[in-house]
Every structure is written in structure tokens, then in C-alpha cells.
Amino acid sequence: MSKKPSLAVVGATGAVGTVMLSILSERKDVWGEIRLIASARSAGKKLMCRGEELTVVALSPEAFDGIDVAMFDVPDEVSAEWGPIAASRGAVVVDNSGAFRMDADIPLVVPEVNPEQTKNRPRGIISNPNCTTLSMIVALGALHKEYGLKELVVSSYQAASGAGQSGIDALVAQISQVAGTEAGTNAGDVHNFVKDLGPFPAPLALNVIPWAGSLKADGYSSEELKVRNESRKILGLPNLKVSATCVRVPVITTHSLTVHAVFEKEPSRKAAQDILQNAAGVKLVDDPENHKFPTPADAVGTDPTWVGRVRKSIDDPMALEMFVCGDNLRKGAALNTAQIAELLAVEFTA
């Protein structure tokens, strides 16, 4: 029997790293040694993974010695510096940051959509897509294989956790501040009750904010351009027309999107539902007559992309409308990274 490959989790003490350790404990045991790596201030901390207490080691070049696969759950600048170092020490890097996503010689992989790209890694690095893109791309990939995707118009409804722990903390604090008040009614103003905006440009409690990310060209946000550019790369459609508007909503976890998808071949509602029902990584909940459709509260803590409200466009026979949800901390981050790493584990044991 082949020796199981070794795995490093870089950023093991962070929000996504914590979810990653939980996922590793739940999924099939394909790993030998699991080494936890974090900043020097976290070195020596003990964390549980697969029922075993592991000691965190400090990030250094030597920390990657003997490692076959290294999963990075750290900020862009840390990945940009340390990803190539890990690769130079012999590890295949699976990076969850935005540092390498649009590099032409680094694949952007979703295992249900383009698993073959894991073998195309000339720099020893594979990139994981943004959580907003991941919330919809598994469902769209399944439909694209059947009908050929031509155009996307999407609006996102992004959870506070997409802005990190500070986003969660800000929303929880704001909810406490407005609870039991008349904020948001004619008798009050939510701005008068919210004391701290946190990472958001406006109050998020009792509100929605038509902005996520940083300002880019022509009034678009970085999140909106990620949806466009990453969808093109994952699906292998460099000329795909994509229009995205990203909105932050007062939800702790799980991103949702409304999707208007135009195809080359005319879809039917029933056939599209059948495709989604049978697609790996998708859970179809689509019975509007009985008010059954996915919400973020259903998807949080789960692995699939949840899809509902599937219907043909009234004005375009080549288009479908749908609503999708995905836990932005699981499939949107840690789970997809773990799935990519598992594809690599198969290579090492073949």
C-alpha cells in the first residue's frame, strides 16, 4: 500500500483554517502527517484535527520540508510571499487567497467543474476561487456542459462573514444596538443607533449595502470583477459576457445570488431541474408552489450549492433564472481547497 501523502495547513488558527480542520476531520482520511503552520505568535498552540492534538509550528521555509501538499488559508500578501517558497521546497500549493487567481500559468480549480486543471501547474501552485464565484459556479458548470453558457447577469447577497471576523463582529454588535428600537421606521433612523460601522461603508443591520470589495475601474468593485473574471477562467470561456452587482446583506454566513443565465442551446425548466438534481455538489430545492426554496439559513454549515426558483426567462427562451446559496466559509473557501488537495492526494498515491 502506498504511503499517504503529507499535508500542511497554513493559517490553521484563522477563521477559514478552523473550518478547514473541521472538514479534514469529517472527510475521508487520505492524509498521513498533517502539519499546522501559522504566524510565529501562534506557534506552540495546540489544535485538534482528526481526533489528534497537533502543535502549530511557525511559518518558515523549513516548515514545508517533507510536505507533499500545502493548503494556504492566509491573506493575499502572505500567500504571494510564501506560496512560491513552499513550492520551491517541493510542496504543491493550494492557495485560497486572491494572490494567484488570475495568473495565466496558475489554474483556478473547482473539482466539480474543471478537475483536469489540477495537473496543469507549472509553478507548483493551484488557486482556489473567490467565495462569491464558488457560491454559483458548480450549478452553472453543470448547466454549461449541457447547454453552453453565453451570458450571465447576477446580483449577489453577500454575508457579513465575507468581510472576515470583523464583519461578523460588526453585524452582531449592530443588531444588538438596534434591537428593541424604532430604527428603520418613520420614528427613527438606523444611523442614529449604529455606533460602529466596522468594515462596512454603512450600517448593515436593518439595511443592505450595494457594495462589497474595493473600488476598481469605472465604478465596479473588486468583488464584481472577481465574479466576471473567475467565471470566465473556470469555465474556459474567455469571452463570456458577465455583469455582476454585489450587495452586502445582514446575514452572518452564506452568500446568495440571483442568476440570469443565457445559453447557446434552448433549455427547458424541467430538464434544467433534472440536471441540477443529479449534479455533484448541488442540492435542488425548487417547489415554489409549496414555498420551498433555499435560503442562507438552510445552506449555512452545509457543503452543496443550494439552488431553487429555477424558471425560464419570460422574454428570452434561451435564458434561465435561478436563486443559489452557498456557505462562503465551507464550499466558498475551506471545502473547495480540501477537495482540490484530495485530487492531489490521489496523484501521490497512484
Side-chain angles (χ1 to χ4, degrees):
M1 183 176 177
S2 300
K3 180 183 175 184
K4 290 181 179 179
S6 55
L7 175 71
V9 180
V10 185
T13 57
V16 177
T18 300
V19 175
M20 179 64 76
L21 297 188
S22 174
I23 286 173
L24 288 172
S25 299
E26 296 166 7
R27 294 178 68 81
K28 183 179 178 181
D29 182 9
V30 300
W31 302 106
E33 177 191 0
I34 294 181
R35 190 177 303 171
L36 308 186
I37 301 174
S39 62
R41 66 177 179 274
S42 295
K45 187 174 183 179
K46 297 185 183 300
L47 300 173
M48 295 298 295
C49 183
R50 297 188 306 178
E52 183 181 355
E53 186 177 73
L54 302 176
T55 302
V56 176
V57 302
L59 180 62
S60 69
E62 293 74 25
F64 297 101
D65 289 348
I67 293 296
D68 296 310
V69 179
M71 300 191 297
F72 275 63
D73 296 309
V74 293
D76 293 9
E77 62 274 13
V78 179
S79 286
E81 177 181 357
W82 287 95
I85 292 172
S88 73
R89 309 291 282 208
V92 178
V93 172
V94 185
D95 181 51
N96 193 30
S97 81
F100 306 106
R101 286 177 186 147
M102 299 316 299
D103 287 16
D105 54 356
I106 291 180
L108 188 63
V109 173
V110 180
E112 297 91 341
V113 181
N114 61 342
E116 71 285 348
Q117 288 299 315
T118 57
K119 300 181 185 299
N120 176 28
R121 49 176 197 267
R123 289 167 58 186
I125 299 173
I126 298 169
S127 196
N128 194 60
N130 179 50
C131 53
T132 313
T133 307
L134 273 168
S135 296
M136 68 172 186
I137 204 68
V138 175
L140 288 175
L143 294 169
H144 168 62
K145 288 177 183 177
E146 180 66 26
Y147 298 119
L149 189 61
K150 284 180 59 180
E151 184 174 349
L152 279 176
V153 180
V154 302
S155 292
S156 72
Y157 307 86
Q158 295 181 217
S161 56
Q165 188 62 45
S166 63
I168 296 173
D169 294 343
L171 178 56
V172 171
Q174 291 177 20
I175 290 171
S176 297
Q177 290 159 13
V178 301
T181 74
E182 295 180 324
T185 72
N186 291 334
D189 180 356
V190 68
H191 288 276
N192 294 331
F193 293 92
V194 170
K195 308 303 181 186
D196 182 10
L197 298 181
F200 309 117
L204 188 56
L206 299 180
N207 203 17
V208 299
I209 303 171
W211 189 258
S214 57
L215 179 64
K216 297 297 182 180
D218 300 320
Y220 284 90
S221 76
S222 57
E223 287 285 307
E224 290 159 351
L225 295 181
K226 286 175 186 177
V227 171
R228 176 179 183 267
N229 297 333
E230 293 177 17
S231 297
R232 288 176 155 196
K233 186 173 180 179
I234 295 163
L235 296 172
L237 298 172
N239 297 315
L240 179 67
K241 294 180 180 179
V242 182
S243 177
T245 300
C246 291
V247 181
R248 191 75 69 181
V249 297
V251 169
I252 297 293
T253 303
T254 292
H255 291 348
S256 306
L257 299 97
T258 55
V259 177
H260 172 85
V262 183
F263 299 94
E264 294 175 354
K265 294 166 56 179
E266 182 174 351
S268 75
R269 181 188 182 205
K270 178 62 169 64
Q273 288 172 319
D274 288 344
I275 290 168
L276 294 167
Q277 182 74 55
N278 295 303
V282 175
K283 183 176 180 64
L284 182 70
V285 181
D286 195 18
D287 184 10
E289 291 80 8
N290 292 300
H291 291 168
K292 292 183 179 179
F293 31 70
T295 71
D298 300 312
V300 66
T302 70
D303 293 341
T305 296
W306 292 56
V307 185
R309 299 299 320 280
V310 179
R311 59 215 188 272
K312 286 202 62 163
S313 174
I314 293 173
D315 297 313
D316 185 350
M318 309 301 285
L320 290 172
E321 319 288 346
M322 69 195 76
F323 183 76
V324 302
C325 297
D327 186 320
N328 55 298
L329 297 181
R330 287 185 73 89
K331 181 59 175 176
L335 176 63
N336 198 76
T337 307
Q339 288 174 307
I340 295 170
E342 287 168 2
L343 293 177
L344 296 170
V346 173
E347 280 190 41
F348 280 101
T349 56

